[in-house]
Amino acid sequence: MATKKKTDWSKDVFKVLKKADVQQIAYVPDAGHTSLIKMAIADNAIKPVSLTSEQEGVAVLAGAWLGGEAGALLMQSSGVGNVINMLGMANECRFPLLMLVTMRGEWGEFNPWQVPMGQATESVLEASGVIVHRVDEPSEIAETVEAAAKLAFEGGRMVAVLIGQRVVGFKDWTK
Amino acid sequence: MVSKKSKSWHWSQDVHQLFKKIGIKQIAYVPDGGLARLIERVQADKSMRSVVLTTEEEGVAQMAGAWLGGQRGVLLTQSGGVGNCINMLSMMQECRIPLLSLVSMRGEWGEQYPWQVPMGQSTIPALEAAKVIVHHVDQAEKVPETVEAAAKLAFDANRAVAVVLSQRIAGSGGQG
Amino acid sequence: MAARRKITLDRRKVVGQLLKDRGDLLLVTGLGAPTWDAAAVGDHPNNFYLWGGMGGAVLTGLGLALAQPKRRVLVMTGDGEMLMGVGGLATVAVQKPSNLAICIIDNQRYGETGMQETHTAHGVDLPAMAAGAGFQTALTVYTAKELSAAIPVLHSQPGPVFIDIKVTDSPQSMTLPPRDGPTLKHRFRENLLGQI
Amino acid sequence: MAVKSKTPYTLQRRKVVQRILEDRGDAAVVTGIGNAVHDVASANDDPKNMYLAGIMGGAAMVAFGVALAQPKRRILVITGDGELLAGIGSLATIGVEQPKNLSIIVIDNQAYGATGNQHTHTGRGVDLVGIAAASGFKKTALITTEAELEAELPRIHNQPGPYFAVVKVVSKTSPRINAPKDGTYVSRRFRAAVTGESA
């Protein structure tokens, strides 16, 4: 697992989020998002919101938009399975919604329990009317998030960037 | 079938009897207008334990536990509740634990409330994406036989199965 | 567990009193009866009604409160809606938004689906859950006198505050506010921000 | 926001779980995701252990379903604070239902151990014991010392429940062990062991 590479894309993504004027970052912690979360916490202009369950994040960002702020929701692919009902609200009101999803249950997965949800993530999002951008190249993550942020905030859509497990690396069961 | 067409007949009678016949012991639900009559019947039945949930995903987990402990159960939910269950359903898939659920639809046939439409329209694709076998039924007379077939598929063939009851059967339900 | 006390308050009157001197309050309502209550008292561009997204009212209020730290934000929702997203209380308590107030219009019933009892009818104590989650102020209101004392808390005490108002389950007329989501969103943002 | 190892707590999670399971008798155990799986598996890989190795927020309700189906057997939940928080409404459901044979033990390191030790809400003022009591659990406990653990053991295993305890432990990561992780295997093994029937 290339730790340096991981930090690099997080930095670039963070810059993109700042440029898109993201001020609320809601998250359920995930190893793949660790650096991004750290940067969000360290940045005084960003309000980090740690959630108990991912569905809370969709609602928080609806409120953020109502109050004039843009936000992003960071989660793992399993969390996608918790937000489907709440996405109905974002869909119906056409709230912009930017989600960055680190994938599990695919490339090199060690935990079989992650596989069903990981394999269903993309189709479930699409069934909910979310536009999905998938990225497997570290060098393409930042530009993908930038495009997704535009589509979300300017185009007024729900957009998810799925960051492949190949990029975030896979955990070692023995660690 | 003739008796089913009599005015007093309601599908929930036959489904309740079916639940008794196949040994359903646990019923988990978040209250719903379309399933209200079935819920009233099972609540009144001392041979089953009905459990009101705060959110539907709790019910999926409870059904896993029921099966692990040697009992059969049924999850009753409105279509919106399906959207709360998708992640928990992965457990049923991964462990191949039987799941029988009855889903009453909103956001489709004759819906008056726009906010119900997005989730209603994604209910079946989301279930199918989560590898749940879906039986859609839109006539009251066909509900009992569909539930019976779904129960076999669930408990005998160890699959997650949802009987999706069209809004055409239940009517447009509550206002919310 | 909360002591069992007689419930006499009428939800419509309670909400009328709550919103009478609302000033520039921003209001988020949970789906079902709290939305009809708010509309019956008087539709307002500073109201955002959730007609769906059950379990999301408190968190929508949190996002709004974080975005508008100088404005008071009131979330008014029902007990069933609150229970569906009760983990959100922990999330709010950790954030400590001083401008957020949460008010539960608690009839101990799922009103939209046939008045089935919720967990609050069986000993679940929402203010005690809020206190456990870390709310410094979490109260239950049973009487008109307690309500009068609670209203200033909801409007001006540093938050987050949580107040559960026990109301009777007597039926009310339905007053429906606009239900088109984009319209509600645009109206709210235009009034607040001058843009949609 | 990584948790520094300087917490006021000294109990070691693995030893705590080992001690609890020493007295388990014929109890069935349902674990939450992550460390709880390894804690329970390292104590003793019993067929009556159901390892929920990949689900957040489901352990309490899985155990509740087993408790209803197996009313004569004690059912223990061993889980983490993050997992419990993801399904915290379950406490209200269980509080209403009052299963007498269910005990929930939260091993609380105040961090998401599996994903980089970020603070969970319990490290920032959330009182799970208070929430459980508010949900209708009549027996609750906060355990921070070995003496308190010893005093609670009979209640964990025998007192009519539902019972709920939080055990505060140091947030040091423990080594993972090779717990069985195939869901079809552990679920069928568990079911056969607690019901005496084959699936």
Side-chain angles (χ1 to χ4, degrees):
Chain A
M1 193 152 77
T3 321
K4 184 163 183 301
K5 222 191 259 171
K6 212 169 82 180
T7 319
D8 285 345
W9 69 257
S10 299
K11 248 185 210 161
D12 292 343
V13 167
F14 191 70
K15 270 187 217 151
V16 167
L17 294 178
K18 292 287 288 179
K19 204 175 124 197
D21 209 18
V22 162
Q23 284 168 281
Q24 297 191 22
I25 293 189
Y27 62 93
V28 172
D30 172 63
H33 283 312
T34 303
S35 331
L36 209 47
I37 293 170
K38 275 189 190 145
M39 286 181 251
I41 290 169
D43 189 313
N44 288 334
I46 287 186
K47 295 147 204 164
V49 182
S50 156
L51 312 164
T52 67
S53 166
E54 292 81 358
Q55 59 162 335
E56 295 174 2
V58 177
V60 167
L61 297 187
W65 186 250
L66 285 172
E69 287 189 345
L73 173 56
L74 315 185
M75 63 181 150
Q76 194 184 78
S77 48
S78 56
V80 168
N82 295 332
V83 302
I84 302 304
N85 191 21
M86 206 61 82
L87 289 177
M89 164 166 65
N91 191 345
E92 183 56 20
C93 296
R94 202 124 71 68
F95 284 123
L97 179 62
L98 176 61
M99 297 182 276
L100 308 190
V101 181
T102 45
M103 291 301 297
R104 293 289 306 272
E106 45 164 48
W107 186 274
E109 178 61 62
F110 75 100
N111 182 349
W113 287 59
Q114 290 280 358
V115 180
M117 191 61 231
Q119 292 301 312
T121 299
E122 193 161 345
S123 45
V124 144
L125 283 168
E126 283 173 347
S128 309
V130 176
I131 301 168
V132 176
H133 290 350
R134 190 187 161 98
V135 54
D136 284 295
E137 274 300 322
S139 60
E140 291 173 5
I141 298 175
E143 63 177 338
T144 309
V145 174
E146 188 170 13
K150 277 215 177 83
L151 193 50
F153 303 125
E154 309 292 332
R157 287 297 187 277
M158 305 186 287
V159 191
V161 178
L162 307 189
I163 303 169
Q165 192 161 2
R166 189 173 186 174
V167 177
V168 289
F170 42 86
K171 278 200 246 172
D172 184 350
W173 181 253
T174 57
K175 223 168 72 177
Chain B
M1 290 301 265
V2 178
S3 68
K4 289 183 183 177
K5 290 194 176 131
S6 75
K7 264 190 190 154
S8 61
W9 181 83
H10 188 261
W11 59 266
S12 59
Q13 275 172 266
D14 290 16
V15 169
H16 173 222
Q17 287 310 312
L18 174 73
F19 285 175
K20 287 178 88 76
K21 192 178 97 185
I22 63 174
I24 298 293
K25 295 290 178 204
Q26 298 187 28
I27 311 262
Y29 63 95
V30 174
D32 171 66
L35 296 163
R37 290 176 71 173
L38 180 61
I39 290 170
E40 281 163 25
R41 285 179 196 280
V42 297
Q43 265 185 332
D45 186 335
K46 295 277 176 278
S47 74
M48 314 174 181
R49 176 74 176 266
S50 30
V51 175
V52 188
L53 312 165
T54 66
T55 170
E56 293 80 0
E57 62 182 299
E58 294 174 3
V60 177
Q62 185 193 333
M63 292 302 107
W67 184 81
L68 286 168
Q71 285 189 342
R72 289 177 170 189
V74 181
L75 172 64
L76 309 179
T77 166
Q78 193 188 83
S79 48
V82 168
N84 295 333
C85 294
I86 302 300
N87 188 28
M88 206 64 82
L89 286 170
S90 67
M91 167 166 62
M92 311 313 253
Q93 177 69 11
E94 182 56 20
C95 298
R96 202 131 65 64
I97 293 176
L99 174 70
L100 175 61
S101 60
L102 268 60
V103 178
S104 96
M105 282 300 293
R106 292 292 308 272
E108 41 139 74
W109 186 276
E111 179 59 75
Q112 310 167 61
Y113 293 92
W115 288 54
Q116 290 284 350
V117 179
M119 187 62 229
Q121 290 302 310
S122 49
T123 297
I124 290 176
L127 283 168
E128 287 177 344
K131 299 284 185 285
V132 175
I133 300 169
V134 174
H135 291 350
H136 185 259
V137 49
D138 64 0
Q139 291 169 42
E141 303 83 64
K142 289 189 177 161
V143 176
E145 66 189 49
T146 310
V147 177
E148 188 167 13
K152 284 209 175 87
L153 198 48
F155 298 116
D156 296 335
N158 290 350
R159 287 298 189 278
V161 190
V163 177
V164 174
L165 306 173
S166 168
Q167 195 162 358
R168 191 175 183 179
I169 298 173
S172 66
Q175 303 297 328
Chain C
M1 276 204 283
R4 297 269 162 170
R5 289 169 62 187
K6 197 166 179 328
I7 295 169
T8 56
L9 291 174
D10 173 88
R11 62 181 307 140
R12 222 23 85 79
K13 286 184 191 149
V14 164
V15 174
Q17 240 178 298
L18 273 181
L19 298 178
K20 198 172 59 175
D21 300 312
R22 62 182 287 166
D24 68 352
L25 180 80
L26 302 175
L27 178 68
V28 175
T29 65
L31 83 171
T35 289
W36 328 143
D37 292 336
V41 166
D43 187 24
H44 196 289
N46 282 344
N47 292 357
F48 186 76
Y49 310 109
L50 291 176
W51 280 77
M54 189 164 175
V58 163
L59 282 303
T60 302
L62 173 65
L64 179 58
L66 292 177
Q68 291 288 328
K70 292 189 179 142
R71 297 287 286 269
R72 189 73 172 185
V73 175
L74 175 66
V75 173
M76 192 171 81
T77 189
D79 41 312
E81 203 274 346
M82 181 70 252
L83 282 162
M84 191 167 278
V86 78
L89 292 178
T91 299
V92 169
V94 167
Q95 292 293 326
K96 301 188 173 55
S98 61
N99 57 332
L100 180 64
I102 299 167
C103 167
I104 310 301
I105 308 295
D106 182 0
N107 65 350
Q108 317 193 48
R109 297 284 188 282
Y110 288 102
E112 301 317 298
T113 59
M115 297 303 273
Q116 299 90 343
E117 289 180 339
T118 66
H119 289 0
T120 60
H122 295 276
V124 172
D125 182 342
L126 285 172
M129 288 182 90
F135 279 69
Q136 300 295 315
T137 303
L139 307 166
T140 308
V141 164
Y142 283 92
T143 65
K145 201 174 150 202
E146 288 166 350
L147 179 64
S148 305
I151 287 174
V153 174
L154 284 172
H155 285 285
S156 46
Q157 185 169 313
V161 301
F162 184 97
I163 296 188
D164 185 274
I165 304 177
K166 299 283 186 187
V167 297
T168 65
D169 59 4
S170 56
Q172 301 283 350
S173 64
M174 294 222 327
T175 308
L176 305 184
R179 59 176 173 244
D180 181 61
T183 303
L184 289 166
K185 173 188 68 171
H186 295 158
R187 184 179 77 158
F188 187 93
R189 277 174 55 94
E190 192 162 28
N191 192 56
L192 176 65
L193 308 164
Q195 61 177 58
I196 57 173
Chain D
M1 210 177 271
V3 177
K4 299 281 175 279
S5 57
K6 257 185 85 182
T7 66
Y9 306 114
T10 55
L11 286 174
Q12 307 267 346
R13 56 183 311 138
R14 204 133 290 181
K15 284 188 185 154
V16 165
V17 172
Q18 225 151 32
R19 181 67 195 95
I20 292 171
L21 294 182
E22 259 171 43
D23 296 352
R24 70 184 280 177
D26 68 350
V29 177
V30 177
T31 78
I33 191 174
N35 279 318
V37 170
H38 302 284
D39 294 338
V40 171
S42 73
N44 179 17
D45 177 31
D46 191 296
K48 295 186 298 301
N49 294 349
M50 180 65 198
Y51 307 107
L52 299 182
I55 282 290
M56 287 289 279
M61 286 303 287
V62 168
F64 169 70
V66 177
L68 290 187
Q70 294 281 320
K72 290 188 182 142
R73 189 190 295 277
R74 195 74 174 186
I75 316 296
L76 304 181
V77 176
I78 308 248
T79 191
D81 44 312
E83 199 276 342
L84 187 84
L85 276 164
I88 193 81
S90 311
L91 292 185
T93 298
I94 292 165
V96 169
E97 297 295 331
Q98 295 288 313
K100 287 192 171 46
N101 54 332
L102 180 65
S103 294
I104 299 176
I105 318 293
V106 181
I107 307 295
D108 182 4
N109 63 354
Q110 316 198 43
Y112 288 100
T115 61
N117 275 346
Q118 296 90 347
H119 269 301
T120 61
H121 291 167
T122 57
R124 301 155 83 182
V126 175
D127 168 15
L128 291 175
V129 175
I131 292 176
S135 302
F137 281 68
K138 293 192 183 69
K139 314 288 176 196
T140 58
L142 178 66
I143 297 170
T144 59
T145 65
E146 268 180 54
E148 286 165 357
L149 177 63
E150 289 300 323
E152 285 300 315
L153 282 172
R155 286 187 267 277
I156 290 172
H157 291 293
N158 300 313
Q159 191 168 50
Y163 173 92
F164 181 92
V166 168
V167 188
K168 295 279 188 183
V169 297
V170 292
S171 65
K172 212 172 91 244
T173 313
S174 307
R176 288 169 180 266
I177 73 137
N178 201 14
K181 60 185 178 182
D182 185 300
T184 53
Y185 168 70
V186 287
S187 61
R188 275 144 187 84
R189 185 179 71 158
F190 178 97
R191 190 171 188 268
V194 301
T195 66
E197 306 160 14
S198 59

